């Protein structure tokens, strides 16, 4: 069962879950077939205190009712760059509490995994999955904090509704590890 209601994230959700769902909702307004998008996550109260002009431009209210973390979209990822290689070039300033990445991928249900040919290279495997009749398009939003906290949101294209978004800390562990590595010293 999804962890979000049609009216938005539950108030009891962790700040990281709320941020992931906010990003998922934002990217959903842009439609499908989008490039990967990278976000810095900053402490909202700290942002208001240290950068009040920026906080005003971002529409951040000066009260406690807002989200504790504010996602700030970064520049577009370089075209043609491998995602893992690009993430390896990132170093965040201390003011950034965490980061998030939204990416679209094709995936197969577990029932189809047994039929995956073992001798395919990465490109051939991608082509094979793209042609598979059971493939599903998924948008993954994965976020990590400096302290190691992780959260993910998954949205299937065939169930493109806020009520159908699944959340969990271990849904996309490889991508979470790659994002966490951007904070390694």
């Amino acid at each position: 069962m999804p962890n979000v209601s049609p009216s938005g994230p539950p108030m009891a959700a962790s700040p990281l879950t709320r941020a992931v769902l906010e990003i998922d909702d934002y990217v959903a307004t842009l439609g499908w077939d989008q490039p990967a998008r990278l976000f810095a996550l900053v402490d909202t109260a700290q942002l208001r205190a240290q950068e009040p002009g920026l906080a005003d431009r971002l529409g951040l209210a000066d009260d406690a009712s807002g989200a504790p973390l504010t996602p700030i979209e970064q520049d577009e990822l370089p075209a043609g760059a491998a995602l893992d290689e690009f993430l390896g070039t990132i170093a965040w300033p201390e003011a950034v509490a965490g980061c998030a990445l939204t990416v679209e991928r094709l995936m197969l249900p577990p029932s189809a995994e047994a039929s995956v040919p073992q001798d395919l290279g990465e490109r051939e495997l991608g082509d094979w999955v793209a042609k598979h009749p059971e493939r599903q398009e998924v948008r993954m939003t994965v976020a990590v904090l400096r302290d190691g906290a992780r959260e993910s949101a998954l949205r299937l294209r065939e169930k493109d509704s806020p009520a159908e978004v699944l959340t969990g800390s271990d849904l996309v562990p490889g991508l979470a590890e790659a994002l966490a590595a951007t904070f390694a010293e």
Side-chain angles (χ1 to χ4, degrees):
M1 181 158 170
N3 294 335
V4 63
S5 70
S7 61
M11 291 309 291
S14 77
L16 190 55
T17 301
R18 291 179 67 191
V20 164
L21 291 172
E22 180 182 341
I23 293 168
D24 173 76
D25 188 53
Y26 161 71
V27 175
T29 66
L30 303 174
W32 285 85
D33 304 317
Q34 295 292 314
R37 296 177 183 279
L38 182 66
F39 298 83
L41 299 175
V42 297
D43 179 281
T44 303
Q46 187 177 12
L47 178 64
R48 277 198 299 275
Q50 294 177 353
E51 299 285 344
L54 177 58
D56 287 344
R57 286 196 308 276
L58 294 173
L60 301 176
D62 195 13
D63 60 26
S65 67
L69 291 170
T70 298
I72 300 175
E73 187 169 4
Q74 303 301 291
D75 292 335
E76 195 169 299
L77 278 65
L83 192 55
D84 57 342
E85 291 174 13
F86 171 73
L87 291 176
T89 67
I90 295 175
W92 297 102
E94 284 300 314
V96 174
C99 66
L101 182 76
T102 298
V103 65
E104 295 176 14
R105 292 289 186 255
L106 292 176
M107 64 178 228
L108 295 176
S111 61
E113 289 180 11
S115 65
V116 175
Q118 299 300 315
D119 59 344
L120 297 179
E122 191 172 324
R123 183 181 201 131
E124 292 87 5
L125 179 60
D127 292 342
W128 185 87
V129 171
K131 293 175 185 171
H132 196 282
E134 294 180 69
R135 73 185 178 282
Q136 296 180 3
E137 292 178 73
V138 63
R139 180 180 301 123
M140 301 176 283
T141 303
V142 179
V144 300
L145 294 179
R146 282 186 188 274
D147 68 9
R150 298 171 179 202
E151 188 62 72
S152 304
L154 296 180
R155 180 186 292 246
L156 294 175
R157 190 170 192 158
E158 69 181 30
K159 295 181 179 186
D160 194 2
S161 160
E164 296 290 338
V165 174
L166 302 175
T167 61
S169 60
D170 294 323
L171 298 177
V172 193
L175 188 50
E177 282 294 323
L179 289 173
T182 66
F183 291 102
E185 305 215 359

